[in-house]
Amino acid sequence: MKKGDFVWALLLAAIIAFLVIPVTNKIFIETTAAHPFLMGFIKFAILATMGEFLAIRILKGSWIKPVGFVYKMIVWGIIGILVTYMFNLFNSGVIATVDKGLLPLGNGLFATIIIAFLTSAIMNLTFGPMFMAAHRISDNFIDGACLKQKKKVSQIIADMDWNEFIRFVIGKTIPFFWIPMHTISFLLPSEYRILSAAFLSIALGGILAYAKRKGEKKEA
């Protein structure tokens, strides 16, 4: 176990402890309720960036700072703000549709689960692909700028592997990961939903990096 492994695990343990200890948990809930967008920024900036570090660790075998680390961390924070807004927008929209009788689901556990599923599915099938494409473009732009290989956005878009993006990112991660996982997120109390989405970024980063490394070994 490398020193970086210990530091990363310690940081994750500290975050979990902050959420579990009653005194700090109260601070978390109150701050999230009072400043949802700021907290969305902080949650994603920290946890999603930790996911990037983990992905590099799995792929490269060592802890390497991502190219454009600070810029990407800021982008993750902005994504946290967008996700906070979209979670509320889509969930409120589905609930309003149910309340108007357009989706006669009734009451009880079944209705709660279906509302969570519909919110997750609609959000990931509409906002999701656009967000993922924009994030990939921004990452490539930051990489090029930091490596002194500046490219216009039009060139970055032209160079992207859209076949892989549609086949794998949209065709597999959305139906088999994001929709079911975000369904669980929408079943949680509202103050924990964005946090769970940020933790999912760590999980997916690790899964994708492991799959990529396994694929590279097979090719070798």
Side-chain angles (χ1 to χ4, degrees), residues 3-209:
K3 180 181 177 181
D5 299 341
F6 177 77
V7 172
W8 192 93
L10 185 64
L11 178 57
L12 183 62
I15 293 171
I16 294 173
F18 181 85
L19 297 170
V20 172
I21 296 172
V23 174
T24 51
N25 177 262
K26 183 180 178 182
I27 294 172
F28 167 79
I29 292 175
E30 290 177 349
T31 307
T32 297
H35 308 284
F37 292 119
L38 174 61
M39 288 297 287
F41 183 98
I42 293 172
K43 292 168 192 174
F44 267 79
I46 294 174
L47 291 172
T49 300
M50 287 178 65
E52 288 210 29
F53 273 97
L54 178 62
I56 294 174
R57 169 69 175 88
I58 293 172
L59 281 172
K60 305 294 184 182
S62 58
W63 294 97
I64 303 171
K65 185 170 72 174
V67 175
F69 163 68
V70 174
Y71 301 111
K72 289 182 179 179
M73 191 172 188
I74 292 172
V75 169
W76 274 119
I78 294 171
I79 288 171
I81 293 174
L82 291 173
V83 170
T84 300
Y85 181 78
M86 291 299 172
F87 263 45
N88 284 278
L89 178 68
F90 282 96
N91 190 230
S92 297
V94 171
I95 291 173
T97 303
V98 172
D99 289 343
K100 287 183 177 180
L102 299 176
L103 287 172
L105 300 178
N107 299 309
L109 179 61
F110 175 77
T112 301
I113 293 174
I114 295 301
I115 288 172
F117 170 76
L118 288 175
T119 303
S120 176
I122 295 169
M123 181 183 71
N124 280 291
L125 293 172
T126 54
F127 168 70
M130 179 278 296
F131 147 70
M132 292 176 180
H135 189 206
R136 180 168 290 197
I137 291 169
S138 70
D139 266 2
N140 289 339
F141 181 83
I142 291 171
D143 288 344
C146 292
L147 295 173
K148 309 300 182 184
Q149 301 171 351
K150 291 184 179 181
K151 295 182 180 180
K152 293 181 178 179
V153 173
S154 58
Q155 185 178 354
I156 293 173
I157 293 173
D159 291 343
M160 280 180 60
D161 186 349
W162 291 105
N163 179 60
E164 180 272 341
F165 178 80
I166 294 172
R167 181 185 59 82
F168 182 74
V169 177
I170 294 179
K172 292 184 178 180
T173 66
I174 287 180
F176 299 118
F177 183 84
W178 288 118
I179 290 179
M181 290 297 101
H182 280 156
T183 297
I184 295 174
S185 295
F186 282 110
L187 290 171
L188 297 174
S190 59
E191 59 267 22
Y192 293 106
R193 291 174 184 175
I194 306 305
L195 180 68
S196 71
F199 270 112
L200 287 174
S201 297
I202 295 180
L204 184 64
I207 292 169
L208 294 180

